Amino acid sequence: MRKTKYEILSEKQRRVWDLHEQGMSMMAISRKLGVSYNAVRETMKRIDRKFREYDRFQATEEKDKATIFFPLTRGEGKLILEAIRRYEFELERQNRALNDWRRNIPYKCEVLADLYERGQVAVHGKVTEKLLPNRW
């Protein structure tokens, strides 16, 4: 499930952001929450950074979903399936593929599993084996 920008904020950041959205100045927010102006300013900086990272992530995710045309022979398809399988073992060995910053299985692992299944159907006519994330 995709999180909204607001949902990626911590509870403290949400309180500050809500007041900011109501048009309050950082000084007014600091008085209302009983914290220093610098605390509010730093929180706003962190919010801004999180929102920029979120926007970049979303833009990249949308670009990565674009369809491309890349014709292959059956033999090339088999080689690619073998490479995907080996890459999966490498990810499992290094435990790099467990969770991303949203606590989801990383997009590349989802793509890897989908690509492996589609490749098997193209080469063998059916799915013979599931990869991550389906096994996890």
Side-chain angles (χ1 to χ4, degrees):
M1 172 187 256
R2 187 178 283 197
K3 289 187 177 184
T4 64
K5 273 187 176 183
Y6 186 75
E7 291 173 324
I8 66 171
L9 299 178
S10 69
E11 194 60 40
K12 175 184 170 184
Q13 290 169 335
R14 287 180 188 171
R15 283 194 307 271
V16 171
W17 183 252
D18 288 340
L19 296 173
H20 171 74
E21 285 291 291
Q22 294 172 16
M24 292 180 75
S25 68
M26 285 194 271
M27 187 58 78
I29 294 170
S30 70
R31 278 191 234 113
K32 177 150 180 119
L33 296 178
V35 296
S36 71
Y37 172 83
N38 285 337
V40 172
R41 187 184 60 164
E42 289 302 312
T43 300
M44 288 299 294
K45 283 181 182 179
R46 287 186 185 100
I47 290 170
D48 183 53
R49 184 175 59 242
K50 273 189 174 181
F51 283 171
R52 281 190 318 246
E53 289 172 358
Y54 178 88
D55 289 341
R56 270 195 313 270
F57 180 83
Q58 294 300 326
T60 300
E61 197 171 53
E62 288 305 312
K63 277 179 158 178
D64 287 345
K65 290 180 181 177
T67 303
I68 62 170
F69 180 69
F70 187 64
L72 299 170
T73 67
R74 187 170 187 274
E76 291 167 335
K78 285 180 170 181
L79 288 173
I80 289 173
L81 288 175
E82 179 61 27
I84 290 171
R85 189 76 181 104
R86 288 175 188 231
Y87 184 58
E88 182 220 13
F89 284 133
E90 181 67 19
L91 288 175
E92 285 182 324
R93 189 176 67 77
Q94 295 178 7
N95 286 328
R96 292 187 311 173
L98 297 178
N99 291 316
D100 66 4
W101 64 277
R102 298 177 305 167
R103 302 222 186 276
N104 294 328
I105 293 174
Y107 176 73
K108 71 178 177 181
C109 292
E110 293 173 9
V111 170
L112 189 67
D114 181 58
L115 181 61
Y116 190 66
E117 287 182 17
R118 289 187 295 139
Q120 288 178 82
V121 170
V123 172
H124 304 295
K126 65 180 181 178
V127 175
T128 58
E129 179 182 22
K130 299 265 187 190
L131 279 191
L132 55 116
N134 299 322
R135 291 196 325 209
W136 293 1

